Amino acid sequence: MPIRRFYRPKNFRPVKPILWFLFLLAVVGLFSVLAVFVIFARNLPNPSNLEDRTITESTKIYDRTGKIILYDIHGEERRTVIPFNEIPQAVKDATIVSEDKDFYKHHGLDFMAILRAVWLNFTSNSLQGGSTITQQFVKKSILTSERTFTRKIKEAILALELERKYSKDEILNFYLNQIPYGINAYGIEAAAETYFSKKAEDLTLAEAAVLASLIRAPSYYSPYGDHKGELIKRQHMVLDKMAEINFISRSESEKAKAQPLNFSKIRSSIQAPHFVFYVKGLLEEKYGEDYVERAGLRIITTLDWQLQNAAEEAVVAGADRNDKVGAHNAALVALDPKTGQILALVGSRDYFKDPLPEGCAPGLDCQFEGNVNVVTRLRQPGSAFKPFVYATAFKKGYTDQTILFDVPTQFDTGCNALGQPQSEGVKCYSPRNFDFKFRGPVTARQALANSLNVPSVQMLYLAGVEDSINTAEDMGLSTLKDRSRFGLSLVLGGGEVKLLELASAFGIFATDGVRHQPVSILRIEDGRGNVLEEFKDEPSQVLDQEVVRLVTDILSDNNARVPIFGPRSPLFFEGRPVAAKTGTTNEFRDGWTIGYTPSLVAGVWVGNNDNSPIKQEPGVYVAAPIWRDFMTRAFEQLNLSPESFTPPQPREVSKPILNGQHIINSEIHSTLYYINRDDPTGPAPSNPYADPMFNNWESAVRAWFGAITKPAPKTQSATSSPQINN
């Protein structure tokens, strides 16, 4: 039987196995997706019952004893459901613009937003979301906010099913009646009542934009917290977008931006509010806002309740006294320098003070907002920065007996001795002391103890701006990053710092150079009592102990500071060694006092939030009394016996200029004549004129000497040297 042959058409190609595999995979995937969808869709809760949603358990913040509740983060939810037609159109439009501009175009999922979020998550360090209003409603009212792939699948499926069952208006109605706006306010009606003391139907366009701006992060953007300015920026962005897509006109947008916002006064049983919201912010940054509100955590903080009361009373009493000199606000923070634990924190004189009215007349109400936490705000420290400069100089080999010259000096090489610029655009820098007096040659000890400005600028030049910033950063000051901004005025407080970091850094002087990071939480427990996190001290040596002992020896030397401060200033404690430094900024805008013992460090700031000046009163008059009042009470409450600081070891150096002598070989010259500033204990410079600052310093010393003496003989003994009153 002949073999039968089969012929194939020329264009015929066999189906490759890989195509069959892909086809089967697609079929299986499709059926899997459909199966999952059916399972979840079948269990979709009925949104009409979601108004009864309750929070499982609230998180509570306690003092260090675990007995006093400072704040219940989530008490009873306040929610009033209102019909969709009673919600102003401005609220609906602002919410859509803020959260999901294509809400009425998609079917529950915005695939372009999802792809954009995925791309940003892979190409940047920020975590971006692509959730629609429908998805947000599902997450906040049906599921949880946990960041897992499984939850995102559930969210997407439920969002699609929700869109299938309900109209867009119904979903938006569910959303606006359910979502949290912060301060336990759920839904737009409760939010309107909480923030503006009115019904939702009475909200203005400006107020509607504010509430829509809160949705993204209610705690962060709270008008009662530290980020009110960012809330207003977000409100303006929402109004601009509403105008862009023709929800409102451009003129309506601009008019709403200019409208005064009169926020309601917060009424709460909260204790130590500035401290509590500082802690709450740390918790939310680490665990997420939703988890903190729902998890029923027990937070044991470092706060000493008795010291907190003492701090609040000292701040209020001091601020009341200072009203007469135009300093209407004050802040205080106290820490244990041996552990870094925050014991007391008062961010402003009255947290519950009514918010500022727009365009208020000059006076008390315009000078501070109670909810602002100045302890964590940027302010210029004035002379309170000087110890970091002197510590840097001592590290390099300068001594507390180093001679500096408190004489009129130009510190810009483009200026002559008379303070006249030698070229266009040069600004001559010639600092003066608080009392407008000059004292001639002084030691570094005298200069720091009496907070003399000209010698301190000289010391910064000798120590180096870069190295001084390095010292400050090693000690915990984190806000001097843009070094190009800073010159010799840094020693007089030209760089902004935070009171909390400044006080913590001074604590390093109290602990022989050991740094303890400021900490506010001792322990975090979950709802079952399991410890999630517990304080563990991790000290680090950041300065040589002899350097800090020398700084402390100067700051606690009451005899050395008598010429400026007097023998019994607020910095002096009879029978108790206490180190302290004051500070006053240009035009008397800020007053400071930071002081410490081996077991307690406290810092006080006084001024006005709007940066308006005080009536020419330095820190020792406006801030030091508050600091002293608190320290006195703290010593009693903590039962702290007087503690002595460890004195520095005596140090011998051969250079006369480092040993307190300003007449050397019968001559008087500036410090730079004898010192190579990068090697102070080494040989004198062979050509001092090579230093760009030498001419200015030398001519200043010569002018001073010529002004106080008749023509001097060629030789002059040290005993016949003119005496300067220090």
Side-chain angles (χ1 to χ4, degrees):
M1 183 176 180
I3 298 176
R4 189 174 181 178
R5 297 181 180 274
F6 293 90
Y7 294 93
R8 293 175 296 183
K10 290 182 179 181
N11 294 330
F12 180 79
R13 295 288 186 274
V15 178
K16 294 182 179 180
I18 188 65
L19 295 179
W20 279 105
F21 175 76
L22 292 175
F23 174 74
L24 291 174
L25 188 64
V27 171
V28 171
L30 178 61
F31 276 103
S32 298
V33 170
L34 290 174
V36 172
F37 180 85
V38 169
I39 292 172
F40 282 101
R42 184 178 56 189
N43 296 323
L44 178 68
N46 186 346
S48 62
N49 297 326
L50 290 175
E51 292 84 351
D52 300 325
R53 180 175 65 93
T54 58
I55 300 300
T56 55
E57 191 176 355
S58 63
T59 289
K60 295 179 176 61
I61 297 178
Y62 295 83
D63 74 335
R64 66 187 301 110
T65 68
K67 297 178 180 179
I68 296 176
I69 297 179
L70 303 177
Y71 187 47
D72 188 332
I73 288 182
H74 226 23
E76 182 181 357
E77 295 179 5
R78 296 194 301 276
R79 180 195 294 112
T80 301
V81 178
I82 59 176
F84 192 59
N85 60 7
E86 291 183 12
I87 300 176
Q89 190 62 41
V91 170
K92 301 170 186 175
D93 293 342
T95 303
I96 289 172
V97 161
S98 174
E99 299 301 310
D100 183 5
K101 64 182 179 62
D102 295 321
F103 173 69
Y104 280 97
K105 298 178 182 178
H106 59 66
H107 297 285
L109 302 178
D110 187 340
F111 293 102
M112 289 302 297
I114 292 172
L115 291 174
R116 183 168 58 251
V118 170
W119 172 256
L120 289 174
N121 291 338
F122 275 107
T123 58
S124 68
N125 293 327
S126 61
L127 187 60
Q128 299 290 327
S131 297
T132 63
I133 281 178
T134 311
Q135 288 176 277
Q136 289 183 48
F137 171 71
V138 168
K139 177 176 68 176
K140 294 177 183 293
S141 297
I142 302 176
L143 302 175
T144 67
S145 295
E146 61 176 334
R147 296 187 176 187
T148 64
F149 185 67
T150 302
R151 200 271 299 160
K152 291 297 291 184
I153 292 177
K154 294 177 181 178
E155 177 187 297
I157 293 172
L158 289 169
L160 291 171
E161 181 65 7
L162 199 68
E163 292 266 350
R164 187 182 67 83
K165 285 188 174 183
Y166 299 98
S167 70
K168 287 289 187 178
D169 284 353
E170 287 176 313
I171 293 172
L172 185 58
N173 188 36
F174 294 148
Y175 182 80
L176 291 173
N177 274 299
Q178 292 276 344
I179 56 172
Y181 286 87
I183 319 180
N184 301 347
Y186 283 76
I188 189 63
E189 183 75 358
E193 172 63 31
T194 298
Y195 292 101
F196 297 109
S197 299
K198 60 175 62 174
K199 291 182 175 295
E201 62 184 359
D202 298 323
L203 289 169
T204 66
L205 173 59
E207 293 164 347
V210 165
L211 296 182
S213 300
L214 280 171
I215 295 172
R216 185 67 55 88
S219 290
Y220 182 84
Y221 289 116
S222 171
Y224 307 110
D226 285 345
H227 303 104
K228 180 180 177 181
E230 294 179 53
L231 171 65
I232 301 305
K233 288 181 182 179
R234 185 165 175 79
Q235 178 221 28
H236 288 185
M237 180 194 72
V238 169
L239 290 167
D240 286 338
K241 287 186 176 180
M242 292 177 73
E244 286 175 12
I245 59 179
N246 296 321
F247 280 160
I248 59 176
S249 67
R250 178 60 61 183
S251 62
E252 288 175 314
S253 172
E254 295 304 316
K255 183 178 179 181
K257 290 180 187 179
Q259 179 190 322
L261 294 169
N262 298 316
F263 292 102
S264 304
K265 183 176 181 179
I266 260 190
R267 289 175 173 82
S268 172
S269 59
I270 183 174
Q271 308 290 340
H274 294 104
F275 175 77
V276 160
F277 283 115
Y278 171 73
V279 170
K280 187 171 181 281
L282 296 177
L283 292 170
E284 291 173 352
E285 183 179 346
K286 184 169 185 178
Y287 294 100
E289 182 177 357
D290 189 71
Y291 179 79
V292 170
E293 291 180 349
R294 294 169 177 262
L297 302 177
R298 176 179 160 89
I299 314 298
I300 309 300
T301 70
T302 60
L303 192 82
D304 185 299
W305 181 238
Q306 285 187 315
L307 287 188
Q308 178 66 22
N309 285 329
E312 291 179 359
E313 291 172 7
V315 165
V316 170
D320 287 345
R321 289 193 303 268
N322 289 333
D323 279 340
K324 64 180 179 294
V325 296
H328 302 298
N329 201 10
L332 183 153
V333 65
L335 305 93
D336 180 349
K338 297 177 180 178
T339 63
Q341 295 177 17
I342 300 173
L343 303 176
L345 189 156
V346 183
S348 285
R349 69 190 285 182
D350 180 9
Y351 180 89
F352 299 103
K353 178 185 179 293
D354 289 326
L356 292 184
E358 191 76 14
C360 60
L364 173 62
D365 287 341
C366 291
Q367 309 304 322
F368 81 98
E369 295 171 90
N371 55 71
V372 173
N373 186 357
V374 185
V375 170
T376 58
R377 283 291 180 94
L378 291 175
R379 304 292 302 204
Q380 290 194 349
S383 294
F385 190 82
K386 287 176 181 174
F388 305 109
V389 172
Y390 283 82
T392 306
F394 296 155
K395 281 196 297 183
K396 290 191 168 187
Y398 293 93
T399 71
D400 65 321
Q401 294 303 307
T402 298
I403 288 294
L404 304 164
F405 285 86
D406 186 18
V407 297
T409 307
Q410 293 298 328
F411 288 94
D412 194 303
T413 54
C415 301
N416 62 24
L418 299 177
Q420 298 166 334
Q422 301 300 291
S423 59
E424 188 176 351
V426 172
K427 292 183 178 180
C428 299
Y429 180 49
S430 180
R432 293 181 292 182
N433 296 315
F434 159 70
D435 58 3
F436 300 102
K437 296 178 181 179
F438 295 96
R439 293 161 177 80
V442 295
T443 65
R445 175 177 288 267
Q446 292 168 328
L448 177 56
N450 290 281
S451 200
L452 303 179
N453 289 339
V454 177
S456 294
V457 176
Q458 293 174 1
M459 188 58 95
L460 176 57
Y461 181 72
L462 296 173
V465 174
E466 286 289 323
D467 290 336
S468 296
I469 294 176
N470 289 340
T471 297
E473 289 187 339
D474 288 343
M475 297 179 73
L477 300 188
S478 65
T479 56
L480 305 174
K481 299 300 184 184
D482 185 5
R483 300 192 175 197
S484 63
R485 294 176 50 220
F486 306 121
L488 294 179
S489 63
L490 177 67
V491 72
L492 307 183
E496 296 84 359
V497 301
K498 298 177 181 179
L499 175 56
L500 175 58
E501 293 183 349
L502 188 63
S504 174
F506 267 70
I508 296 172
F509 292 126
T511 57
D512 279 352
V514 177
R515 182 188 179 196
H516 301 267
Q517 293 267 16
V519 62
S520 57
I521 298 173
L522 293 177
R523 189 170 68 257
I524 301 176
E525 301 173 359
D526 65 15
R528 297 181 179 180
N530 299 314
V531 177
L532 304 180
E533 190 177 315
E534 195 161 17
F535 166 68
K536 181 181 179 182
D537 190 16
E538 297 180 350
S540 59
Q541 188 82 36
V542 296
L543 276 181
D544 180 81
Q545 64 179 18
E546 286 302 311
V547 169
V548 297
R549 286 175 180 175
L550 183 54
V551 172
T552 293
D553 194 60
I554 296 172
L555 296 183
S556 60
D557 187 348
N558 193 60
N559 290 331
R561 62 174 170 243
V562 164
I564 289 292
F565 294 93
R568 304 191 70 83
S569 74
L571 308 181
F572 173 70
F573 287 80
E574 186 76 49
R576 184 186 293 272
V578 178
K581 184 73 190 74
T582 61
T584 309
T585 56
N586 285 341
E587 299 182 14
F588 300 89
R589 297 183 187 278
D590 306 86
W592 301 76
T593 298
I594 318 290
Y596 57 93
T597 69
S599 297
L600 181 67
V601 56
V604 170
W605 167 89
V606 165
N608 297 308
N609 288 14
D610 63 1
N611 211 32
S612 58
I614 303 168
K615 294 178 182 177
Q616 297 193 0
E617 296 290 352
V620 69
Y621 295 140
V622 293
I626 298 175
W627 172 82
R628 181 185 177 82
D629 183 10
F630 170 76
M631 294 291 280
T632 301
R633 294 183 59 177
F635 294 148
E636 296 174 356
Q637 292 178 1
L638 295 175
N639 196 26
L640 288 178
S641 301
E643 301 173 273
S644 297
F645 297 109
T646 304
Q649 292 293 324
R651 183 183 175 196
E652 294 183 4
V653 292
S654 59
K655 275 193 168 185
I657 198 73
L658 299 179
N659 273 329
Q661 300 179 45
H662 69 278
I663 299 179
I664 302 169
N665 296 327
S666 301
E667 296 180 351
I668 297 179
H669 292 283
S670 68
T671 310
L672 287 174
Y673 183 86
Y674 303 102
I675 284 181
N676 179 336
R677 65 189 183 116
D678 293 324
D679 183 18
T681 59
S686 58
N687 179 21
Y689 290 91
D691 190 297
M693 198 65 71
F694 177 76
N695 276 333
N696 290 42
W697 289 27
E698 189 74 3
S699 60
V701 170
R702 290 180 181 178
W704 161 78
F705 187 70
I708 65 170
T709 64
K710 296 178 180 180
K714 292 184 179 180
T715 60
Q716 185 178 20
S717 66
T719 56
S720 63
S721 160
Q723 300 297 309
I724 305 300
N725 180 17
N726 288 318

